[in-house]
Amino acid sequence: QVQLMESGGGAVQPGGSLRLSCAASGYSQTTNCISWFRQAPGKERDGVAAIYTGDGTTYYADSVKGRFTISQGNDKNTVYLQMSSLKPEDTAMYSCALRSGFCQGLMPAYVYRVWGQGTQVTVSS
């Protein structure tokens, strides 16, 4: 059974940085699309960044380009989201999600079959 586990969330001041981790286990396929989503209270779940683990191709939402970086560990079982220059509007529950095969840009949440439990990020002074 494929499982995802996020970690690294917390509270930070505006302008600060955090690194989220998404550890995947229970699968043998090494080429997947793993994405980070976020959802603030009362808002829809939005895709933030995605990476195709086959070749490392990455995709970003316009709102985070230049501030967030998605990457994968050498074993391809862990995906990171390095977040810098954080803003109050980045406050949300961040979740990672996995689907087999290629990424087709930032895809909607319904195409992902496996989700982690989420980790809270709060940006506030």
Side-chain angles (χ1 to χ4, degrees):
Q1 182 178 357
V2 181
Q3 292 185 322
L4 301 176
M5 179 69 71
E6 302 96 335
S7 61
V12 64
Q13 292 186 341
S17 299
L18 282 174
R19 188 177 81 158
L20 306 183
S21 298
C22 173
S25 62
Y27 67 100
S28 59
Q29 183 172 341
T30 58
T31 54
N32 299 284
C33 181
I34 298 180
S35 295
W36 284 97
F37 286 80
R38 67 184 181 187
Q39 187 169 23
K43 296 188 177 181
E44 293 185 354
R45 180 181 289 178
D46 292 326
V48 173
I51 186 167
Y52 173 56
T53 62
D55 63 9
T57 301
T58 58
Y59 306 88
Y60 295 95
D62 288 343
S63 59
V64 306
K65 280 181 181 176
R67 300 190 298 122
F68 291 11
T69 302
I70 189 170
S71 62
Q72 57 181 331
N74 290 335
D75 61 2
K76 297 185 179 180
N77 289 332
T78 303
V79 169
Y80 303 99
L81 185 68
Q82 178 68 48
M83 305 185 295
S84 302
S85 302
L86 283 162
K87 305 175 182 179
E89 52 263 44
D90 294 318
T91 295
M93 179 70 74
Y94 284 71
S95 302
C96 60
L98 178 150
R99 72 184 296 266
S100 300
F102 293 96
C103 296
Q104 295 178 329
L106 289 181
M107 295 179 289
Y110 69 83
V111 308
Y112 291 87
R113 66 181 181 92
V114 183
W115 289 83
Q117 85 289 349
T119 185
Q120 178 68 35
V121 171
T122 302
V123 185
S124 174
S125 56

